[in-house]
Amino acid sequence: MNELFEKVFNKEHLTRNEAEQVAEQIFEGRLTDSQIAAFLTALKCKGETAEEMAGIAETIQRKSVTIDCQKANVMDNCGTGGDQSGSFNISTTAAFVLAAGGVTVAKHGNRSISSKSGSADIFECLGVDIALSSEKLSTVLNEVGLAFLFAPHMHPKMKYVMNVRKELGTPTILNLIGPLTNPVLLDSQLMGTYRRDLLEETAKTLGELGRKRAVVVNGSGGLDEATLAGTTHFALLEEKKITMHTIEPEEFGFNRLPIEAIHGGNAEENTATLLSILKNQASPYLDTVLLNAGLGFFSNGKVETIQDGIVLAKECVASGAAFDKLQQLIKIQKEVA
């Protein structure tokens, strides 16, 4: 460990195997809080690489609970959080649209990081039990095609870094890889990140972890979502190759709007916003979800273009299918509970 720590302190990159070695020690409780804090801080100062992110993420995933998913081409649309935007719960809302369009979504998430309510807070407000056993979650995911996987319950070994993360009070590699640690083996993924400089490295990491297709997105203003406020940058992983792209709201018929137009509130307020979107009530919130759901369909390979994805997203909302998917989730959750 001392040799690996010195390597990071000297701003040298770790191999994937070396990152796994350190992560193994961390998540088996063999390192002190001071050692963990020093390692995370040194990685941040040095700059994180795809191999380091993959090594740590794979270790966390390997130690997570088991979710038995029998569906094909499963995806997640979780973001890193940490963008300090105070936006409403975009990816949580988009998950219902994606599921309504026939995509199986293993929605990995947590409580609030940079906003007033996180995905877990919203699902609770909707009446979804976020504390179901892994067996019951497996049933929900296979029957509904959508389940919420509450990160603290999925990753019990994360307890060894909880105090350090609170005391550091700054995002580290653990924030960056949170969306990479879904306990379900994903085929595709739409991942938002607040770090535009790591778009390509994050896409490489997704490829290292076995994703066949993925989009890593960073919106205008540094949001970990696509936005209507300006240019959205994204990296596309397709057939083991990574290409960089940008999109503008006007390309898809949306008006350019300031980020303030999609500010969120507390869990109750954001849940009301989610319901208004699923009921197809016109607003900047609806347009933002349609853009992100369209990107999600594109990330999954359900459609060939983002424009086709947006068209499908509009159909899922306008037809009531997205709202019906919410009702189905609540019904099945109650039955299994």
Side-chain angles (χ1 to χ4, degrees):
M1 283 300 103
N2 288 339
E3 290 180 6
L4 296 181
F5 275 34
E6 281 299 322
K7 190 173 180 179
V8 177
F9 296 157
N10 291 327
K11 297 186 181 297
E12 297 177 38
H13 300 319
L14 299 180
T15 66
R16 177 170 176 170
N17 180 261
E18 289 171 336
E20 288 176 359
Q21 289 180 51
V22 178
E24 180 69 25
Q25 298 301 308
I26 291 174
F27 296 110
E28 287 302 324
R30 296 174 188 145
L31 298 184
T32 66
D33 284 359
S34 296
Q35 288 174 308
I36 297 170
F39 176 70
L40 295 177
T41 303
L43 272 185
K44 181 170 183 173
C45 293
K46 173 185 72 65
E48 304 87 346
T49 68
E51 287 203 346
E52 290 164 347
M53 289 191 285
I56 297 173
E58 195 279 332
T59 303
I60 295 172
Q61 189 177 45
R62 179 161 38 81
K63 295 177 181 296
S64 66
V65 303
T66 301
I67 303 295
D68 178 22
C69 180
Q70 299 168 9
K71 298 281 191 175
N73 198 5
V74 185
M75 78 172 292
D76 189 7
N77 68 332
C78 177
T80 59
D83 60 21
Q84 306 300 321
S85 68
S87 61
F88 78 107
N89 301 86
I90 299 168
S91 63
T92 303
T93 312
F96 292 100
V97 182
L98 293 168
V103 175
T104 300
V105 183
K107 184 74 178 83
H108 193 225
N110 209 331
R111 297 198 183 276
S112 173
I113 295 176
S114 61
S115 59
K116 294 180 181 178
S117 66
S119 53
D121 307 298
I122 299 301
F123 274 100
E124 280 187 325
C125 276
L126 290 169
V128 173
D129 185 356
I130 66 172
L132 290 180
S133 67
S134 59
E135 292 81 7
K136 291 178 179 178
L137 278 173
S138 300
T139 299
V140 172
L141 183 59
N142 289 314
E143 289 195 21
V144 182
L146 169 66
F148 178 67
L149 311 179
F150 186 39
H153 291 173
M154 299 296 102
H155 308 291
K157 297 286 187 175
M158 290 293 287
K159 66 183 179 182
Y160 293 114
V161 297
M162 285 179 60
N163 290 336
V164 170
R165 297 181 76 182
K166 287 179 182 177
E167 290 176 1
L168 284 178
T170 185
T172 67
I173 194 169
L174 296 178
N175 297 81
L176 297 172
I177 66 174
L180 305 174
T181 61
N182 196 309
V184 176
L185 296 177
L186 304 176
D187 298 288
S188 58
Q189 188 160 356
L190 170 61
M191 176 179 165
T193 178
Y194 66 93
R195 290 280 300 274
R196 183 171 299 169
D197 61 312
L198 285 178
L199 282 175
E200 188 171 0
E201 284 296 307
T202 304
K204 286 180 184 177
T205 308
L206 288 167
E208 291 273 340
L209 294 171
R211 310 296 192 269
K212 297 181 181 68
R213 184 178 171 90
V215 166
V216 185
V217 64
N218 176 268
S220 176
L223 267 70
D224 66 336
E225 312 276 1
T227 73
L228 302 178
T231 306
T232 290
H233 297 253
F234 72 90
L236 170 64
L237 168 70
E238 184 179 30
E239 297 179 353
K240 299 182 180 181
K241 295 181 181 178
I242 296 169
T243 52
M244 305 301 293
H245 306 267
T246 61
I247 56 175
E248 306 291 343
E250 296 84 357
E251 291 181 53
F252 308 109
F254 296 117
N255 294 322
R256 189 171 294 232
L257 296 167
I259 291 174
E260 290 74 21
I262 57 168
H263 267 181
N266 59 29
E268 290 75 17
E269 291 167 330
N270 285 3
T271 299
T273 298
L274 180 150
L275 292 172
S276 74
I277 293 166
L278 298 188
K279 292 177 181 177
N280 202 30
Q281 296 176 13
S283 70
Y285 300 102
L286 172 61
D287 287 346
T288 301
V289 166
L290 293 175
L291 174 58
N292 280 275
L295 260 173
F297 285 127
F298 175 70
S299 306
N300 176 261
K302 180 79 175 179
V303 296
E304 293 187 3
T305 68
I306 297 172
Q307 182 64 63
D308 289 342
I310 293 171
V311 170
L312 178 55
K314 288 179 178 178
E315 291 173 356
C316 291
V317 175
S319 67
F323 185 78
D324 289 344
K325 184 60 67 173
L326 166 61
Q327 301 307 310
Q328 183 189 9
L329 174 64
I330 294 171
K331 178 178 180 290
I332 299 297
Q333 281 260 339
K334 289 179 178 178
E335 289 178 359
V336 301

